[in-house]
Amino acid sequence: MSSATDTIGHSSKIWVRFTPGQRLLRFALYLVFVLAVVQSVRSIDVIPEFLYDAPTQMADLLHRMWPVSWHSFPGTIQRALVETLHMATLGTILAVIMAVPVGLAAATNLTPNRAINFLARLILVSSRSINSLVWALLFIAVFGPGALAGTIAIAFRSIGFIGKLLGEAIEDAQAGPVEALTATGASKMSIILYGYWPQIRPAFWSIVLLRWDINVRESAVLGLVGAGGIGMALNSAMDLFQWDKVALILVLIFTIVIIAEVIITRARKSLL
């Protein structure tokens, strides 16, 4: 707000959207954004010749992918696709088993100990901060290439997602039923089962189903670093320049993601 004096001598207020300090801050933020974009473009080191030739190369690649090698599906690719679904499912189950105790420990209203809260939140942050491909590389070094490394990588990546949302759902639960059970002298497990669980059950199943959907997509690419699944078949086909098989694998990945989305939508309507 700023003031001005009219012709009669009375003071009147003139509304302005931003104060001078706010305008200066907005200009500074815009300037920083523009500088960041310019610096990013400079560091990418775009080669104009490759950029101009990209449409031609893309058209040539699509031509090599057609027709799709449908007859290649039975055998290795089929087994790799099934393995991908197994990785996503088993990884999600392992993640739920490991994430539930961490989520319970991260909820401040259920676990008032600050040291335990801090440790639990540290575990959740650590899980989310490392990409699933990095987790896969770490476990490949431990277990060797294959589906086992991919499954454990998916599980460890999912702990932070499931545990964080579960802890937040517990903290948002109504205190009335919990206080009533506490007043009767109920045990901690009874309070969790009869005080918190009925309230967080819809959120819990929604979190698990959503994470499984995400894990189906992530497990499809973990094979690119040797962690099993259809990603390994994709990487092998690309190395051998078998572009008709690459097209088949891409179609299968797209199809399985769509089917997983449909399954998740129907399951949420049935369970929730």
Side-chain angles (χ1 to χ4, degrees), residues 99 102-103 106 119-129 159-160 163-164:
V102 182
L119 180 60
R121 293 178 185 274
L122 180 62
I123 294 173
L124 298 179
V125 172
S126 300
S127 171
R128 298 198 313 274
S129 62
I159 290 174
K164 176 179 173 58

Side-chain angles (χ1 to χ4, degrees), residues 122-139 152-161 211 218 222:
L122 180 62
I123 294 173
L124 298 179
V125 172
S126 300
S127 171
R128 298 198 313 274
S129 62
I130 302 177
N131 189 271
S132 57
L133 289 174
V134 179
W135 278 119
L137 289 171
L138 292 175
F139 288 113
I152 299 179
I154 288 174
F156 273 75
R157 169 64 173 172
S158 303
I159 290 174
F161 181 92
R211 189 64 218 184
E218 291 193 348
L222 290 184

Side-chain angles (χ1 to χ4, degrees), residues 9 31 51 55 125 130 146 154 156 159-160 177 187 203 213 230 261 269:
L31 180 62
L51 188 62
V125 172
I130 302 177
I154 288 174
F156 273 75
I159 290 174
S187 64
D213 183 27
I230 199 169
E261 184 69 25
K269 289 181 179 179

Side-chain angles (χ1 to χ4, degrees), residues 51-64:
L51 188 62
Y52 298 149
D53 193 46
T56 303
Q57 296 297 330
M58 179 60 69
D60 179 64
L61 183 61
L62 293 176
H63 177 73
R64 296 183 185 185

Side-chain angles (χ1 to χ4, degrees), residues 4-12:
T5 305
D6 56 20
T7 56
I8 305 177
H10 296 290
S11 177
S12 62

Side-chain angles (χ1 to χ4, degrees), residues 21 32 41 48 86-87 91 112-113 132 151 154 173 189-190 197 199 227 250:
V32 170
V41 172
H86 290 169
M87 287 167 53
N113 189 301
S132 57
T151 301
I154 288 174
M189 183 58 66
S190 298
W197 173 244
Q199 300 187 63
L250 293 178

Side-chain angles (χ1 to χ4, degrees), residues 5-224:
T5 305
D6 56 20
T7 56
I8 305 177
H10 296 290
S11 177
S12 62
K13 294 182 178 180
I14 301 176
W15 181 86
V16 291
R17 185 176 182 182
F18 301 109
T19 64
Q22 290 174 332
R23 288 198 296 269
L24 180 61
L25 178 60
R26 287 169 62 87
F27 175 78
L29 291 176
Y30 291 149
L31 180 62
V32 170
F33 175 77
V34 172
L35 291 176
V37 171
V38 172
Q39 184 62 29
S40 299
V41 172
R42 291 179 60 186
S43 63
I44 290 176
D45 192 22
V46 177
I47 302 176
E49 291 79 9
F50 289 174
L51 188 62
Y52 298 149
D53 193 46
T56 303
Q57 296 297 330
M58 179 60 69
D60 179 64
L61 183 61
L62 293 176
H63 177 73
R64 296 183 185 185
M65 287 183 175
W66 187 263
V68 179
S69 180
W70 300 108
H71 64 276
S72 301
F73 175 70
T76 303
I77 297 179
Q78 182 181 7
R79 290 193 297 270
L81 181 62
V82 174
E83 186 177 69
T84 297
L85 295 176
H86 290 169
M87 287 167 53
T89 304
L90 183 57
T92 304
I93 294 173
L94 292 175
V96 170
I97 295 173
M98 293 184 290
V100 168
V102 182
L104 296 176
T108 54
N109 57 341
L110 183 61
T111 308
N113 189 301
R114 292 188 176 183
I116 297 178
N117 287 151
F118 176 79
L119 180 60
R121 293 178 185 274
L122 180 62
I123 294 173
L124 298 179
V125 172
S126 300
S127 171
R128 298 198 313 274
S129 62
I130 302 177
N131 189 271
S132 57
L133 289 174
V134 179
W135 278 119
L137 289 171
L138 292 175
F139 288 113
I140 285 174
V142 177
F143 300 106
L148 177 60
T151 301
I152 299 179
I154 288 174
F156 273 75
R157 169 64 173 172
S158 303
I159 290 174
F161 181 92
I162 297 174
K164 176 179 173 58
L165 295 182
L166 177 62
E168 292 178 350
I170 293 174
E171 290 180 340
D172 292 336
Q174 297 294 327
V178 177
E179 292 176 351
L181 288 169
T182 304
T184 62
S187 64
K188 197 74 169 181
M189 183 58 66
S190 298
I191 293 174
I192 294 173
L193 291 178
Y194 301 108
Y196 286 105
W197 173 244
Q199 300 187 63
I200 67 170
R201 180 171 51 195
F204 173 80
W205 288 117
S206 179
I207 294 167
V208 172
L209 291 173
L210 177 59
R211 189 64 218 184
W212 179 80
D213 183 27
I214 296 173
N215 288 340
V216 169
R217 306 175 193 182
E218 291 193 348
S219 61
V221 298
L222 290 184
L224 295 176

